[in-house]
Amino acid sequence: MFQEKASANCLNIVPTSTEDGAFQKKGHSARVLSPEEAEKLAKEQVLVSEFKQLKLEKEAQKNWDLFYKRNSTNFFKDRHWTTREFQELKACREFADQKLTILEAGCGVGNCLFPLLEEDKNIFAYACDFSPRAVEYVKKNALYSAERCKVFQCDLTKDDLLDNIPADSVDVVTLIFVLSAIHPDKMHLVLRNIYKVLKPGKCVLFRDYGLYDHAMLRFKSGSKLGENFYVRQDGTRSYFFTEEFLSQLFKAEGYEQVVNEYVQRETVNRKEDLRVPRVFLQSKFQKPFRET
């Protein structure tokens, strides 16, 4: 999706063709709503009560644990596209067989982790998740090996990553469909936590829901928590990012922006003749080199 030059330590993100034939484009412009979509969003201004919002925040871990109890390892597809989208996972080495240390922040049940470990035998991965149940599913996976992976439960907004990962030791951090599940007021705490374990000159690879994604337009009345922030029926939450908000969020914690763009896809359900607009934000932010 991306073709952009960066520093020697943060290499290219390259374009890929979609396997399902979906229309796709990237750029800095947000998706334009249809008149019907704009009218729908304009009507939905009533927010969930403060009492319920506090309850959702308090029970966030419980709700994600119940999500994984209901869905086990079957809800998300394995993300084999990750190395195609983010070529840093292969290209940031100084030589071919160099060992690469990654952190998957918010690993879920391993849908991204295990394809990466299978595709690249020279990766050691740290992986953590908010849900203790998800972490247990990862450890029970037949592909799990303590020699190649350390998995642990972690609330990234308050649990210090330095308890499990040495400072300045990670080559690449992946933050893929994770930050959107966290309250916007606490997102900066995640980025601050990650910053401590990332090597200077290395990058966070980000992909998450973008403004006006189809999932945002599907929320019913009574689901809105705040600007671009919604709650699902199961109590899990989702934020839809603008390019500007994400940029400000990372820069405020000391990162430098390398790439930050919308990816718009129009997927087609030929059986039902439906066209579904998907919008993601795919980005790369670098921890600066230390000043000499």
Side-chain angles (χ1 to χ4, degrees):
M1 294 176 189
F2 293 104
Q3 180 69 53
E4 183 154 339
K5 292 291 183 181
S7 69
N9 282 63
C10 282
L11 303 178
N12 298 336
I13 293 180
V14 299
T16 59
S17 59
T18 59
E19 296 174 357
D20 56 5
F23 168 76
Q24 180 172 282
K25 66 178 180 179
K26 55 98 173 177
H28 296 289
S29 299
R31 177 175 173 261
V32 178
L33 292 173
S34 69
E36 294 78 14
E37 292 170 336
E39 182 181 2
K40 177 181 182 297
L41 288 181
K43 289 180 179 178
E44 296 174 358
Q45 297 301 320
V46 178
L47 302 183
V48 171
S49 70
E50 183 179 357
F51 173 79
K52 185 176 179 181
Q53 294 216 33
L54 291 172
K55 187 171 186 288
L56 288 169
E57 180 65 22
K58 184 178 179 180
E59 298 180 352
Q61 185 181 76
K62 172 188 170 184
N63 289 332
W64 276 107
D65 233 32
L66 289 172
F67 170 88
Y68 286 114
K69 182 179 181 179
R70 286 190 302 271
N71 297 291
S72 182
T73 59
N74 303 315
F75 189 82
F76 298 109
K77 295 180 180 179
D78 282 352
R79 293 170 179 156
H80 290 278
W81 51 263
T82 309
T83 51
R84 297 197 307 269
E85 302 291 346
F86 293 114
Q87 288 299 304
E88 288 85 347
L89 292 170
K90 290 183 176 180
C92 71
R93 294 178 169 88
E94 295 177 9
F95 52 90
D97 296 329
Q98 182 180 357
K99 195 81 169 180
L100 194 65
T101 300
I102 71 169
L103 165 62
E104 188 182 359
C107 62
V109 295
N111 298 102
C112 177
L113 174 67
F114 291 119
L116 283 177
L117 292 176
E118 279 190 290
E119 290 176 26
D120 194 327
K121 302 301 181 184
N122 290 309
I123 282 180
F124 178 85
Y126 293 101
C128 63
D129 200 85
F130 192 28
S131 165
R133 191 181 299 273
V135 170
E136 286 305 306
Y137 279 131
V138 171
K139 291 181 176 180
K140 290 177 181 178
N141 192 301
L143 295 173
Y144 177 74
S145 168
E147 294 180 355
R148 298 198 60 209
C149 184
K150 178 179 180 179
V151 182
F152 55 97
Q153 191 277 331
C154 180
D155 179 347
L156 288 165
T157 67
K158 65 180 182 180
D159 298 333
D160 196 342
L161 284 171
L162 293 177
D163 291 340
N164 286 279
I165 306 172
D168 300 336
S169 66
V170 174
D171 295 294
V172 179
V173 176
T174 60
L175 200 59
I176 299 175
F177 295 103
V178 173
L179 210 57
S180 57
I182 295 169
H183 195 288
D185 290 347
K186 293 186 176 182
M187 290 178 182
H188 70 286
L189 299 173
V190 177
L191 303 186
R192 188 176 302 171
N193 206 356
I194 288 170
Y195 193 94
K196 293 183 289 187
V197 300
L198 187 62
K199 291 179 181 177
K202 301 299 184 178
C203 292
V204 176
L205 307 182
F206 176 95
R207 184 179 171 105
D208 218 321
Y209 299 109
L211 184 69
Y212 305 146
D213 178 59
H214 180 66
M216 179 177 175
L217 303 176
R218 290 181 62 191
F219 281 104
K220 297 179 180 179
S221 180
S223 302
K224 190 170 184 178
L225 301 171
E227 186 178 7
N228 305 331
F229 193 38
Y230 296 83
V231 60
R232 303 181 182 93
Q233 289 185 339
D234 64 3
T236 61
R237 298 168 296 177
S238 186
Y239 185 86
F240 296 84
F241 289 91
T242 65
E243 180 184 295
E244 296 79 12
F245 177 82
L246 188 69
S247 180
Q248 292 171 8
L249 195 66
F250 270 90
K251 288 179 178 178
E253 296 306 318
Y255 294 86
E256 296 174 346
Q257 180 174 305
V258 181
V259 179
N260 187 30
E261 293 181 304
Y262 292 105
V263 175
Q264 297 188 41
R265 292 166 53 95
E266 186 177 75
T267 58
V268 180
N269 184 328
R270 292 184 175 86
K271 184 177 180 180
E272 299 182 19
D273 194 28
L274 293 175
R275 295 181 178 273
V276 178
R278 302 310 312 267
V279 183
F280 307 111
L281 206 59
Q282 186 156 305
S283 313
K284 179 169 58 172
F285 293 88
Q286 181 184 39
K287 179 176 180 177
F289 290 98
R290 290 192 180 95
E291 293 183 3
T292 56

